């Protein structure tokens, strides 16, 4: 199980997305549970939260928690019924707010929050997940701390996963990254000419969707890769030689490696039968060094992504990445 959380300012737009998510023109969202909220529409629900905020902390800018909880594909069959889903989300919220963010159980009962279930993601039919919008301001005026909210959210997910026998995100991530890395190097090694668009297409054919990240100016900044388990990674988190500014040089180095006898001999030890373009990851790590100067015609990328102010940009990131 994976969970991520942050604070946001745009409650109504966020709730509209959570409640109305569609994929291929099919509505995939349904309300799972709510606490201390009574409105029928997204606007009515967030107005109830906003009234509490106005009464106590009208100058608080990021006044909502945006939380996403996702089961891994391996665990999808372990939580099926609405009752099981509701119990899991309510347990998660209680443990996050009382165990990590310092609320008492009485204070937690004052909290306003609502959860929506999405049956799948844009890229995976089996990744059921839940979006939660919570008011940071309690009815007594207490503001819930957002200190290290991302790390604390992940910790609760890992704790519950271990107790329930779910896959643990910190255990899955190294396997995901190695699987993506091996596929990327294998595909680059098999390309006669370099084309980022062709690389994207071939990665998608192997089950690894690539999402390009653009700056506000519209210029390409970098890209993310979606693992088969549904977690999204920056290219730099997979391997720095795969970043947008270095990937073409990586392709060149791979092809040099294939025609140099001394290197080719090393590569054969890692080459499975029937795939003449495969070069082992450990061999590649000795060939691809961080001193390679980037010459890619697109923008350089060391760390992908910039802070975005537009909600549409943010929804694109969340809907096509871990957050779905």
């Amino acid at each position: 199980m994976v969970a991520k959380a942050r604070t946001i300012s745009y409650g109504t737009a966020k709730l509209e997305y959570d409640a109305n998510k569609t994929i291929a023109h099919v509505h995939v969202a349904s309300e799972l549970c709510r606490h201390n909220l009574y409105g029928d529409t997204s606007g009515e629900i967030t107005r109830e939260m906003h009234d509490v905020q106005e009464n106590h902390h009208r100058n608080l800018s990021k006044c909502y928690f945006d939380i996403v909880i996702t089961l891994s594909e391996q665990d999808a069959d372990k939580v099926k019924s609405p009752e099981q889903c509701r119990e899991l989300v309510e347990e998660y919220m209680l443990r996050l707010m009382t165990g990590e963010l310092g609320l008492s159980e009485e204070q937690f009962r004052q909290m306003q929050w609502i959860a929506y279930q999405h049956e799948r993601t844009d890229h995976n039919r089996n990744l059921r997940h839940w979006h939660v919008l919570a008011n940071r301001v309690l009815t007594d005026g207490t503001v819930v701390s957002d200190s290290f909210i991302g790390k604390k959210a992940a910790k609760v997910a890992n704790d519950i996963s271990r107790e329930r026998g779910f896959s643990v995100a910190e255990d899955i991530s190294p396997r995901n990254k190695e699987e993506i890395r091996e596929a990327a190097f294998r595909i680059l090694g098999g390309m006669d000419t370099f084309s980022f668009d062709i690389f994207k297409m071939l990665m998608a054919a192997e089950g690894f969707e690539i999402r390009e990240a653009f700056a506000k100016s519209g210029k390409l900044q970098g890209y993310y890769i979606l693992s088969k388990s549904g977690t999204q990674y920056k290219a730099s988190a997979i391997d720095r030689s795969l970043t947008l500014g270095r990937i073409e040089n990586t392709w060149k180095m791979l092809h040099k490696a294939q025609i140099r006898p001394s290197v080719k001999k090393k590569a054969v030890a890692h080459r499975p039968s029937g795939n003449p373009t495969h070069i082992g990851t450990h061999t590649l790590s000795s060939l691809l060094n961080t001193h390679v100067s980037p010459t890619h015609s697109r923008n350089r990328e060391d760390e992908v992504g910039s802070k975005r102010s537009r909600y549409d940009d943010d929804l694109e990131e969340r809907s096509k990445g871990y957050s779905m």
Side-chain angles (χ1 to χ4, degrees), residues 182 185 266-271 278-285:
E182 288 182 353
F185 286 141
K266 288 183 180 181
V268 170
H270 297 275
R271 183 180 298 158
H278 177 76
I279 297 178
T281 302
H282 297 296
T283 304
L284 285 167
S285 64

Side-chain angles (χ1 to χ4, degrees), residues 92-103 152 155-156:
Y92 179 87
M93 289 295 292
L94 175 64
R95 292 176 64 161
L96 176 63
M97 296 302 162
T98 61
E100 297 297 325
L101 298 183
L103 296 185
K152 291 174 179 177
K155 178 182 182 300
V156 173

